[in-house]
Amino acid sequence: MSYVFLFILFLPVKLLGKLFRKDTGKNLVIQTAKIGDFVNATPLLSYLKKSDVLISRSVAPLAERDDTIDAIYLIGLHKRNLFAKFRFAWLIMNRYDNVYLLQPNSTNLFFAAICNAKNKQFLSIYTRRWYHGIFYAAADGVIEHGKRTLSVTNYLQLADRTLSWQDVPKHATHPLYMPKAWPESLEKKDVIRIGISISAGNRAKTVPPATWKSIFDALADLPCVFYVFGTDDEQPWLDDLYRHLDDEPDNIISLLGLLPLEDAPFTISKMDCYIASDSGNVYIADAVGVPVVLLFGPCCHYEQRPLGKTLLIGDDENICSYVFETRYFFQQDREALFAVTESRLDEIRRFILNSYNQK
């Protein structure tokens, strides 16, 4: 609600500034969520060809290696205090011809609405507050996003109402950034390389050790090597997984904390398959063409999921967590949300073998 008062306070400056606005041809894309959401915004960035972006610091390493992006603004720097907000509002007020708002929280709505752009397209979501109406009144077009409409399609339709997710591919970095070096363990021969994420940044959406053990057991007779991707603060999750296994298998290789984010897309591209719940790395895997087994648990795969070669594992009856309405507590425990039957384990096995043989 405070941003409504800030908008009203800044409104005279905005209206006066509009008298001096000149066409610039510049685009501003506002998506301040995390890795997966940023990757899902890349089709729009590709379609626009060149844009400035307002993003979170967590995805900056990817954005810095994306040739569809010019200027990068980090939201954390521009919402620290009142002075920072007004200074940034002044900076962007007359700078853009087109503004595309993909993450419509109060902060982003304020910055998008303050722009005197000729064309402002906003996403409207199911968690929209009544007082956001003042910001949406400043938009030239609005895309209504529902819980069962693909976010990637809606993002693209901000620029062109005829587009859908099939029209423009995703990327993680553009072009694919190649690190100077990568782990020697990736050079193993005659193995099936499977990337996994053991944490989703949300305990409730994190696959439990019992489910991983079932998957490992189902693939035990195959020459699989499992590469654990993530940050070093995920080590407790890996320790917990090891405690649930008979021993510490030599076919599980931890890359936790070893890869900067900008190196992850290339490294993940070396995988034959990626298995995880709804986490940033499954969208990176999808963007670099790696087949994905998505253990969707409580997350709505109708709204957001990998769009390439993907095997969905879960029960639609458990869906209750959404992109713009993430839940952290559920009636069922994680073992129930991510349970895998023998038939689903057989599906995973066939999917991995087929993906490997086709590659």
Side-chain angles (χ1 to χ4, degrees):
M1 192 70 177
S2 61
Y3 279 99
V4 172
F5 297 112
L6 291 183
F7 183 73
I8 294 171
L9 184 62
F10 200 85
L11 190 58
V13 178
K14 168 182 163 63
L15 296 176
L16 182 62
K18 195 170 185 177
L19 300 175
F20 302 96
R21 198 195 79 82
K22 297 180 181 179
D23 291 352
T24 64
K26 288 179 171 291
N27 304 313
L28 176 64
V29 174
I30 301 175
Q31 170 56 284
T32 57
K34 295 185 179 180
I35 295 170
D37 303 281
F38 174 79
V39 172
N40 284 328
T42 58
L44 175 62
L45 294 172
S46 293
Y47 179 78
L48 296 174
K49 294 184 171 57
K50 282 290 184 182
S51 305
D52 295 351
V53 293
L54 180 61
I55 57 174
S56 70
R57 184 182 297 277
S58 64
V59 301
L62 299 179
E64 289 165 357
R65 290 156 182 85
D66 192 328
D67 63 9
T68 68
I69 293 174
D70 279 333
I72 297 173
Y73 305 116
L74 301 181
I75 186 65
L77 299 178
H78 301 296
K79 66 173 188 177
R80 291 180 298 180
N81 52 52
L82 185 62
F83 176 73
K85 292 169 187 173
F86 279 171
R87 181 176 58 184
F88 186 58
W90 175 264
L91 173 67
I92 64 175
M93 183 176 66
N94 285 346
R95 193 177 182 89
Y96 298 100
D97 281 357
N98 305 292
V99 175
Y100 304 97
L101 176 62
L102 283 62
Q103 181 76 14
N105 56 37
S106 294
T107 305
N108 295 342
L109 279 163
F110 167 73
F111 287 131
I114 217 69
C115 291
N116 287 322
K118 294 190 300 183
N119 174 42
K120 291 187 287 189
Q121 301 291 326
F122 294 2
L123 196 71
S124 179
I125 57 176
Y126 38 81
T127 56
R128 177 172 164 177
R129 302 287 189 258
W130 66 266
Y131 52 82
H132 287 164
I134 190 172
F135 304 122
Y136 281 95
D140 298 287
V142 175
I143 289 289
E144 297 289 341
H145 173 74
K147 291 181 176 180
R148 298 227 167 186
T149 54
L150 272 174
S151 58
V152 175
T153 290
N154 281 169
Y155 294 164
L156 277 166
Q157 289 182 350
L158 291 170
D160 186 333
R161 300 300 194 264
T162 67
L163 294 174
S164 70
W165 67 268
Q166 297 100 326
D167 295 316
V168 188
K170 291 188 283 189
H171 60 264
T173 58
H174 193 278
L176 181 62
Y177 173 73
M178 182 175 293
K180 296 178 181 178
W182 50 86
E184 292 183 7
S185 59
L186 293 179
E187 305 302 329
K188 286 180 176 288
K189 304 296 184 182
D190 302 318
V191 299
I192 301 175
R193 300 179 182 86
I194 300 178
I196 65 173
S197 293
I198 56 173
S199 170
N202 174 349
R203 183 179 180 86
K205 296 195 300 182
T206 296
V207 179
T211 299
W212 285 120
K213 186 177 188 307
S214 296
I215 293 172
F216 295 155
D217 289 345
L219 303 175
D221 63 328
L222 299 179
C224 296
V225 176
F226 299 91
Y227 295 84
V228 184
F229 288 81
T231 59
D232 52 9
D233 61 2
E234 295 176 63
Q235 185 62 46
W237 295 102
L238 183 56
D239 294 338
D240 188 38
L241 175 59
Y242 285 148
R243 283 192 292 271
H244 283 76
L245 302 178
D246 295 333
D247 50 28
E248 188 171 320
D250 57 9
N251 68 335
I252 296 179
I253 297 175
S254 174
L255 300 178
L256 295 181
L258 299 182
L259 297 173
L261 179 58
E262 62 269 24
D263 290 3
F266 176 82
T267 309
I268 290 175
S269 75
K270 295 296 185 181
M271 300 295 107
D272 297 304
C273 186
Y274 204 95
I275 306 176
S277 60
D278 186 60
S279 61
N281 280 342
V282 295
Y283 295 101
I284 291 179
D286 187 44
V288 297
V290 173
V292 171
V293 176
L294 180 67
L295 308 169
F296 63 82
C299 300
C300 184
H301 58 86
Y302 298 99
E303 182 182 17
Q304 189 156 284
R305 64 181 184 273
L307 297 172
K309 187 174 182 180
T310 304
L311 175 63
L312 298 173
I313 298 294
D315 185 345
D316 280 11
E317 293 295 322
N318 293 332
I319 293 175
C320 57
S321 185
Y322 304 89
V323 173
F324 299 102
E325 193 176 65
T326 300
R327 294 184 61 183
Y328 296 89
F329 302 97
F330 304 94
Q331 291 182 339
Q332 295 174 281
D333 58 27
R334 291 186 296 133
E335 285 72 20
L337 291 172
F338 290 99
V340 283
T341 62
E342 289 299 322
S343 62
R344 301 318 297 270
L345 290 170
D346 287 341
E347 285 184 64
I348 294 172
R349 178 189 172 85
R350 289 195 300 270
F351 180 83
I352 290 173
L353 277 173
N354 289 338
S355 299
Y356 179 71
N357 291 332
Q358 289 174 10
K359 185 175 179 180

